[in-house]
Amino acid sequence: MAPAQEPTQARPETRLAKVAVTALSASSIENYDFFIYGTAAALVFPQLFFPEQTALTSALLSFATFAVGFIARPLGGVLFGHIGDVHGRKKALIGALAGMGLASTLIGLMPTHSVIGVAAPILLVLLRFLQGIAVGGQLGGVVLLAMESAPPRKRGFFSSFAQAGGPGGIILGNLAFIAAIRFTSPAAFEAWGWRVPFLASAVLVWLAIHLQLRLEDTDAFRRLKQVKKPDAERSPVLRAFRVHYKQIALVAAAYIGINVTYYLFMTFAVSYSTNSAILGLSKDTVLLAVLVAAGVQLVLLPVSGAISDRIGRRAMLLAGSGMLCAFSFAFWPLLNTKSTFLILVAFIVGLGLMHTTMYGPQGAFFAEAFSTGLRYSGVSLGVQIGAVVGGAFAPLIATSLYAATGSSMSVAIYMAVVCAITFGAVLLMPETHLKDINEPVAAAEPAAANDPAV
């Protein structure tokens, strides 16, 4: 009798392990693809795609194409939100992964300005736009895959594996470019070496899709399909705006601080520290600090998610945003010391610990705010609107503030303000970690406007 029962008992654990691996791999790969573009935009795109401009103008144009990806993200949230709420989380996530893999591979293969002239930057912008659409649909899919498949008291822990794709993608992307630079000459890197990280994404995306095809859709979505009314197939995005407009607005506001501080750590702080006119530090020193802090975040994100399963998501986000608001006024002075040790401490404390405190529970907290039939659309729209308002302009705003004031204190104030916005938005949101996410949504949604949580 006992041997016959063992496979049945092991099946849920095996499935959850597959879900965690899939969430981590899919999210890491999507973020890898999205972030390697930023590295290439800084290193080679100005001279390869905008050679007729001055060095400053070509750099600005290159980073402008980077921003196009953020502008496209809400469109991805709308498109894949519809697919995910109507046809399933798995189909939407596979579509987002395939779109990202296609765009990244084509960037790795496309001819430069010297070959096809002005068509090259135009194609680059179009492919970056496709990347933005793909990443705009990815977050909802990978978070819901993990959160809706997890046991009720472990949703924060399992959804944190989706969040871990952020630092995971950063680490993979940095290692890919470090290897490409180290194993090619400067001329070879500019000619073809920069293409390798983009082409490698095709293999990684194939692996993620392969893993995803081996999984069933989430239990919550399958239950939803059993009770959904015929008219529930109509535009979930429009219904999400109508039924959950307050949640979407609060999620977007709560995400602003999380997203802005992330890009200040990952992009502006690196530029600020290595700029010869400001601190003039070695790129190796700053990039090492970023990589170490990202590694700490990667390890601690599941811990943060698990703690939120015990004490609540809201408490974690309030603690993280509050601490980072205060630490904003210490982070930049620590960088100004030019001490390698203190810079490392600044990144580990700011990104590795404080940011992780709110980033780990974020996925579960935002997803649990929405009803099952509108969850993919709601969380995708809220997060991507927050990303456009926040992270898309963070490096530009920080650079402009420093240029206008000549002091990092202005950047510290900006950092503190966005953390305060997150703190205030979270205060207005209810706690969700004990919420039953498997309610018969199709019957409940029309009455949602009278729900106190709305």
Side-chain angles (χ1 to χ4, degrees):
M1 297 290 292
Q5 293 175 352
E6 288 177 1
T8 301
Q9 294 173 347
R11 194 175 302 122
E13 298 176 1
T14 301
R15 184 182 179 221
L16 286 174
K18 288 181 179 179
V19 166
V21 171
T22 301
L24 177 59
S25 63
S27 183
S28 295
I29 291 164
E30 285 275 294
N31 281 283
Y32 163 88
D33 282 6
F34 196 71
F35 285 116
I36 59 173
Y37 187 99
T39 304
L43 295 177
V44 295
F45 284 176
Q47 55 267 37
L48 294 179
F49 292 95
F50 307 99
E52 297 180 347
Q53 308 297 325
T54 64
L56 178 59
T57 302
S58 62
L60 288 173
L61 289 172
S62 180
F63 281 118
T65 67
F66 176 75
V68 167
F70 285 91
I71 296 171
R73 285 172 66 157
L75 296 179
V78 170
L79 172 63
F80 289 103
H82 178 89
I83 296 172
D85 283 332
V86 174
H87 302 291
R89 314 328 193 185
K90 192 171 73 169
K91 289 182 180 179
L93 182 56
I94 290 175
L97 286 170
M100 179 64 83
L102 175 63
S104 297
T105 302
L106 289 176
I107 289 173
L109 294 172
M110 69 176 296
T112 61
H113 187 280
S114 64
V115 178
I116 60 173
V118 71
I122 293 174
L123 288 174
L124 187 65
V125 169
L126 291 175
L127 291 174
R128 180 59 176 173
F129 193 80
L130 179 56
Q131 277 193 326
I133 290 176
V135 81
Q138 170 267 340
L139 178 66
V142 74
V143 166
L144 297 194
L145 172 71
M147 192 272 285
E148 292 183 344
S149 300
R153 296 306 300 271
K154 292 185 178 181
R155 296 196 299 253
F157 172 73
F158 279 97
S159 66
S160 70
F161 284 92
Q163 305 304 119
I170 290 290
I171 293 171
L172 286 175
N174 276 281
L175 291 177
F177 268 96
I178 289 172
I181 292 171
R182 177 159 296 187
F183 292 108
T184 61
S185 66
F189 177 76
E190 185 171 318
W192 58 268
W194 67 271
R195 299 178 183 273
V196 175
F198 287 95
L199 297 176
S201 66
V203 177
L204 295 175
V205 171
W206 175 87
L207 175 62
I209 294 175
H210 176 71
L211 288 171
Q212 180 69 4
L213 289 172
R214 298 173 66 88
L215 295 174
E216 298 177 351
D217 219 319
T218 67
D219 294 337
F221 182 78
R222 292 203 303 272
R223 276 190 288 268
L224 173 70
K225 295 297 288 184
Q226 294 175 357
V227 298
K228 185 179 285 187
K229 294 180 179 179
D231 63 352
E233 299 292 323
R234 299 175 184 172
S235 183
V237 173
L238 294 179
R239 289 193 298 122
F241 271 119
R242 186 179 71 252
V243 176
H244 290 309
Y245 63 92
K246 289 184 179 179
Q247 285 98 323
I248 292 174
L250 287 172
V251 165
Y255 190 63
I256 286 175
I258 300 173
N259 197 235
V260 167
T261 53
Y262 192 73
Y263 281 98
L264 290 180
F265 286 132
M266 289 295 186
T267 58
F268 177 75
V270 175
S271 174
Y272 173 85
S273 301
T274 58
N275 191 312
S276 59
I278 305 177
L279 297 185
L281 298 175
S282 165
K283 290 182 179 180
D284 291 342
T285 298
V286 182
L287 289 178
L288 174 64
V290 171
L291 283 176
V292 171
V296 171
Q297 185 171 59
L298 183 64
V299 172
L300 292 184
L301 277 170
V303 177
S304 175
I307 294 174
S308 78
D309 286 325
R310 291 182 174 272
I311 70 172
R313 328 283 189 222
R314 191 168 175 266
M316 294 290 286
L317 269 81
L318 289 174
S321 58
M323 290 188 298
L324 196 51
C325 181
F327 187 69
S328 300
F329 297 99
F331 177 78
W332 302 100
L334 285 171
L335 295 191
N336 292 341
T337 65
K338 300 185 181 182
S339 164
T340 300
F341 174 73
L342 292 179
I343 290 171
L344 186 61
V345 169
F347 275 99
I348 290 176
V349 173
L351 176 62
L353 298 179
M354 294 181 178
H355 190 271
T356 300
T357 301
M358 53 181 175
Y359 191 48
Q362 165 204 294
F365 186 52
F366 292 168
E368 289 164 346
F370 298 95
S371 54
T372 305
L374 305 177
R375 187 170 291 139
Y376 203 125
S377 297
V379 71
S380 295
L381 288 169
V383 166
Q384 301 314 331
I385 291 172
V388 171
V389 176
F393 302 103
L396 178 61
I397 291 174
T399 301
S400 301
L401 287 171
Y402 184 83
T405 64
S407 170
S408 61
M409 181 57 65
S410 60
V411 182
I413 293 172
Y414 170 49
M415 194 172 184
V417 167
V418 296
C419 289
I421 291 173
T422 291
F423 189 92
V426 174
L427 272 180
L428 297 175
M429 299 173 72
E431 181 53 74
T432 61
H433 76 294
L434 297 178
K435 179 181 178 181
D436 180 9
I437 64 168
N438 294 317
E439 70 277 9
V441 182
E445 276 173 7
N450 298 320
D451 191 328
V454 175

